[in-house]
Amino acid sequence: MDIVVKGRNVEVPDHYRQHVADKLTKVERYDHKLIRVDVELFHERNPRQSDHCQRVEITCYSRGPVIRAEACAADFYSALDAAISKLDSRLSRAADRRRVHRGRHSPVSVAAATASLAFTPPERYGTTALATQTEMVQAERVDGFDLLEEADDQPWHIVREKEHPGEPMTVDDALFHMELLGHDFYLFNDKESGRPSVVYRRRAYDYGVMSLGM
Protein backbone atom coordinates (compact mmCIF):
# COMPACT_ATOMS: atom_id res chain seq x y z
CA MET A 1 0.00 0.00 0.00
CA ASP A 2 1.47 3.34 -1.06
CA ILE A 3 0.96 6.34 1.25
CA VAL A 4 1.21 9.77 -0.37
CA VAL A 5 1.33 12.77 1.98
CA LYS A 6 1.13 16.27 0.56
CA GLY A 7 0.23 19.78 1.64
CA ARG A 8 -1.94 22.14 -0.33
CA ASN A 9 -0.62 25.29 1.29
CA VAL A 10 1.77 23.82 3.82
CA GLU A 11 5.15 22.12 3.61
CA VAL A 12 4.94 18.66 5.21
CA PRO A 13 8.03 17.75 7.29
CA ASP A 14 9.49 14.25 7.15
CA HIS A 15 8.69 13.46 10.79
CA TYR A 16 4.99 14.05 10.13
CA ARG A 17 5.08 11.83 7.04
CA GLN A 18 6.47 9.03 9.21
CA HIS A 19 3.81 9.70 11.84
CA VAL A 20 1.11 9.36 9.18
CA ALA A 21 2.60 6.09 7.91
CA ASP A 22 2.68 4.66 11.44
CA LYS A 23 -0.94 5.66 12.06
CA LEU A 24 -2.22 4.20 8.78
CA THR A 25 -0.62 0.77 9.10
CA LYS A 26 -3.76 -0.54 10.83
CA VAL A 27 -6.21 0.38 8.06
CA GLU A 28 -5.11 -2.59 5.96
CA ARG A 29 -6.90 -4.91 8.37
CA TYR A 30 -10.18 -3.78 6.79
CA ASP A 31 -9.12 -4.21 3.18
CA HIS A 32 -6.00 -6.11 2.13
CA LYS A 33 -6.46 -4.88 -1.44
CA LEU A 34 -5.79 -1.23 -0.67
CA ILE A 35 -3.61 0.25 -3.40
CA ARG A 36 -2.93 3.79 -2.25
CA VAL A 37 -3.81 6.21 0.52
CA ASP A 38 -3.58 9.93 -0.15
CA VAL A 39 -3.26 12.28 2.82
CA GLU A 40 -3.58 16.01 2.20
CA LEU A 41 -2.99 18.84 4.67
CA PHE A 42 -4.52 22.29 4.48
CA HIS A 43 -4.08 25.32 6.77
CA GLU A 44 -7.02 27.70 7.21
CA ARG A 45 -5.70 31.24 7.53
CA ASN A 46 -8.88 32.78 8.95
CA PRO A 47 -7.98 33.72 12.57
CA ARG A 48 -11.60 33.11 13.58
CA GLN A 49 -11.07 29.42 12.76
CA SER A 50 -8.06 28.95 15.04
CA ASP A 51 -9.67 25.99 16.81
CA HIS A 52 -10.22 24.26 13.46
CA CYS A 53 -7.46 25.80 11.34
CA GLN A 54 -5.66 22.57 10.38
CA ARG A 55 -7.48 20.15 8.09
CA VAL A 56 -6.43 16.63 7.13
CA GLU A 57 -8.09 14.69 4.31
CA ILE A 58 -7.53 10.97 3.78
CA THR A 59 -8.59 9.15 0.60
CA CYS A 60 -8.23 5.36 0.21
CA TYR A 61 -8.09 3.71 -3.22
CA SER A 62 -8.61 -0.01 -3.71
CA ARG A 63 -10.37 -2.35 -6.12
CA GLY A 64 -13.61 -1.35 -4.43
CA PRO A 65 -15.19 2.06 -3.84
CA VAL A 66 -13.12 5.12 -2.93
CA ILE A 67 -13.34 5.82 0.80
CA ARG A 68 -12.60 9.24 2.19
CA ALA A 69 -12.55 11.06 5.53
CA GLU A 70 -11.51 14.50 6.67
CA ALA A 71 -11.33 16.41 9.94
CA CYS A 72 -10.29 19.78 11.30
CA ALA A 73 -8.55 20.61 14.59
CA ALA A 74 -6.22 23.13 16.17
CA ASP A 75 -3.18 21.10 15.06
CA PHE A 76 -2.42 18.56 12.34
CA TYR A 77 -1.85 15.71 14.79
CA SER A 78 -5.31 16.01 16.33
CA ALA A 79 -6.88 16.47 12.89
CA LEU A 80 -5.16 13.28 11.68
CA ASP A 81 -6.46 11.29 14.66
CA ALA A 82 -10.02 12.53 14.08
CA ALA A 83 -9.87 11.79 10.34
CA ILE A 84 -8.53 8.27 10.96
CA SER A 85 -11.38 7.65 13.42
CA LYS A 86 -13.92 8.53 10.70
CA LEU A 87 -11.97 6.47 8.17
CA ASP A 88 -12.03 3.40 10.43
CA SER A 89 -15.81 3.61 10.66
CA ARG A 90 -16.26 3.86 6.88
CA LEU A 91 -13.76 1.11 6.12
CA SER A 92 -15.53 -1.13 8.61
CA ARG A 93 -18.88 -0.34 6.96
CA ALA A 94 -17.46 -1.25 3.54
CA ALA A 95 -16.02 -4.50 4.93
CA ASP A 96 -19.40 -5.42 6.42
CA ARG A 97 -21.08 -4.82 3.06
CA ARG A 98 -18.55 -7.06 1.29
CA ARG A 99 -19.26 -9.85 3.77
CA VAL A 100 -23.00 -9.52 3.10
CA HIS A 101 -22.50 -9.74 -0.66
CA ARG A 102 -20.32 -12.83 -0.32
CA GLY A 103 -23.18 -14.62 1.45
CA ARG A 104 -26.66 -15.34 0.22
CA HIS A 105 -28.43 -12.73 2.28
CA SER A 106 -30.03 -9.58 0.93
CA PRO A 107 -27.95 -6.50 1.79
CA VAL A 108 -29.40 -3.97 4.19
CA SER A 109 -30.23 -0.69 2.47
CA VAL A 110 -27.89 2.23 3.11
CA ALA A 111 -30.71 4.29 4.62
CA ALA A 112 -31.47 1.55 7.13
CA ALA A 113 -27.82 0.80 7.88
CA THR A 114 -27.01 4.44 8.64
CA ALA A 115 -30.22 5.39 10.44
CA SER A 116 -28.58 5.13 13.88
CA LEU A 117 -25.40 6.95 12.93
CA ALA A 118 -24.81 10.57 13.82
CA PHE A 119 -24.25 12.65 10.70
CA THR A 120 -21.32 15.05 10.61
CA PRO A 121 -21.65 17.58 7.77
CA PRO A 122 -18.65 17.47 5.44
CA GLU A 123 -16.31 20.43 5.65
CA ARG A 124 -16.12 20.60 1.88
CA TYR A 125 -17.30 18.73 -1.18
CA GLY A 126 -15.01 16.75 -3.47
CA THR A 127 -13.77 13.22 -4.05
CA THR A 128 -10.51 12.46 -5.77
CA ALA A 129 -8.97 15.75 -6.76
CA LEU A 130 -5.99 17.39 -8.40
CA ALA A 131 -4.87 20.75 -7.07
CA THR A 132 -4.38 23.41 -9.73
CA GLN A 133 -0.72 24.28 -10.08
CA THR A 134 -0.04 27.75 -8.67
CA GLU A 135 3.17 29.40 -7.53
CA MET A 136 3.60 29.06 -3.76
CA VAL A 137 5.94 30.97 -1.46
CA GLN A 138 6.76 30.41 2.20
CA ALA A 139 4.73 32.69 4.45
CA GLU A 140 5.32 31.61 8.07
CA ARG A 141 6.02 28.64 10.31
CA VAL A 142 3.46 27.19 12.76
CA ASP A 143 3.98 24.18 15.05
CA GLY A 144 6.93 22.94 12.97
CA PHE A 145 5.11 23.26 9.62
CA ASP A 146 6.11 25.76 6.94
CA LEU A 147 2.94 27.47 5.68
CA LEU A 148 2.76 28.48 2.04
CA GLU A 149 0.68 31.04 0.21
CA GLU A 150 -0.04 31.74 -3.45
CA ALA A 151 2.24 34.31 -4.99
CA ASP A 152 -0.31 36.00 -7.25
CA ASP A 153 -3.15 38.36 -6.33
CA GLN A 154 -5.95 36.38 -7.97
CA PRO A 155 -9.05 36.71 -5.73
CA TRP A 156 -10.29 33.20 -6.62
CA HIS A 157 -8.80 29.93 -7.80
CA ILE A 158 -10.02 26.61 -9.13
CA VAL A 159 -8.38 24.32 -6.60
CA ARG A 160 -9.95 20.99 -7.57
CA GLU A 161 -10.60 19.10 -10.78
CA LYS A 162 -12.33 15.72 -10.86
CA GLU A 163 -12.78 12.86 -13.25
CA HIS A 164 -15.68 10.84 -11.90
CA PRO A 165 -16.13 7.15 -12.85
CA GLY A 166 -19.32 6.60 -14.85
CA GLU A 167 -20.06 2.95 -14.10
CA PRO A 168 -23.86 2.48 -13.91
CA MET A 169 -25.17 1.72 -10.43
CA THR A 170 -28.39 1.58 -8.46
CA VAL A 171 -29.61 4.37 -6.22
CA ASP A 172 -28.81 2.27 -3.16
CA ASP A 173 -25.22 1.74 -4.37
CA ALA A 174 -24.90 5.49 -4.99
CA LEU A 175 -26.06 6.19 -1.43
CA PHE A 176 -23.50 3.69 -0.15
CA HIS A 177 -20.68 5.43 -2.05
CA MET A 178 -21.89 8.82 -0.80
CA GLU A 179 -21.72 7.65 2.81
CA LEU A 180 -18.21 6.21 2.37
CA LEU A 181 -16.99 9.54 1.02
CA GLY A 182 -18.65 11.52 3.81
CA HIS A 183 -20.50 13.75 1.34
CA ASP A 184 -24.08 14.91 1.22
CA PHE A 185 -24.40 14.34 -2.55
CA TYR A 186 -23.12 11.86 -5.12
CA LEU A 187 -23.15 11.99 -8.93
CA PHE A 188 -23.75 8.69 -10.78
CA ASN A 189 -25.26 7.02 -13.84
CA ASP A 190 -28.57 5.42 -12.86
CA LYS A 191 -28.54 1.75 -13.83
CA GLU A 192 -32.31 1.60 -14.26
CA SER A 193 -33.02 4.84 -16.13
CA GLY A 194 -29.64 5.27 -17.84
CA ARG A 195 -29.66 8.96 -16.88
CA PRO A 196 -27.01 11.03 -15.11
CA SER A 197 -28.37 11.43 -11.59
CA VAL A 198 -27.50 12.80 -8.18
CA VAL A 199 -28.47 11.41 -4.79
CA TYR A 200 -28.37 13.92 -1.97
CA ARG A 201 -29.08 14.25 1.72
CA ARG A 202 -32.12 16.28 2.70
CA ARG A 203 -32.92 16.44 6.41
CA ALA A 204 -31.82 14.03 9.12
CA TYR A 205 -31.68 10.65 7.31
CA ASP A 206 -33.92 11.45 4.34
CA TYR A 207 -32.48 11.35 0.83
CA GLY A 208 -33.43 12.74 -2.57
CA VAL A 209 -32.62 11.90 -6.19
CA MET A 210 -32.26 14.30 -9.13
CA SER A 211 -31.93 13.20 -12.78
CA LEU A 212 -31.39 14.95 -16.09
CA GLY A 213 -34.32 14.72 -18.53
CA MET A 214 -33.77 13.18 -21.93
Side-chain angles (χ1 to χ4, degrees), residues 87-186:
L87 186 68
D88 282 345
S89 176
R90 290 167 189 167
L91 285 168
S92 177
R93 198 181 310 168
D96 290 343
R97 187 178 174 96
R98 285 195 300 271
R99 283 193 289 270
V100 169
H101 281 295
R102 288 195 189 105
R104 296 178 180 238
H105 305 288
S106 298
V108 178
S109 68
V110 173
T114 59
S116 62
L117 299 177
F119 171 63
T120 302
E123 290 83 359
R124 194 189 64 260
Y125 304 136
T127 51
T128 57
L130 297 174
T132 307
Q133 296 297 316
T134 55
E135 185 179 355
M136 308 292 287
V137 296
Q138 184 171 339
E140 56 180 311
R141 188 174 179 84
V142 176
D143 295 333
F145 292 81
D146 291 326
L147 305 183
L148 307 175
E149 65 180 13
E150 296 170 359
D152 58 21
D153 297 324
Q154 185 80 342
W156 56 268
H157 300 276
I158 297 175
V159 297
R160 287 189 172 246
E161 298 178 358
K162 308 175 199 175
E163 183 174 333
H164 196 67
E167 180 181 355
M169 64 178 65
T170 65
V171 171
D172 194 63
D173 285 338
L175 288 170
F176 175 67
H177 281 71
M178 182 183 77
E179 294 290 347
L180 292 185
L181 291 169
H183 294 171
D184 57 4
F185 76 93
Y186 189 81

Side-chain angles (χ1 to χ4, degrees), residues 15 33 35 58-59 64 69 103 144 147 167 181 183 204:
H15 65 82
K33 296 180 180 179
I35 300 171
I58 307 174
T59 307
L147 305 183
E167 180 181 355
L181 291 169
H183 294 171

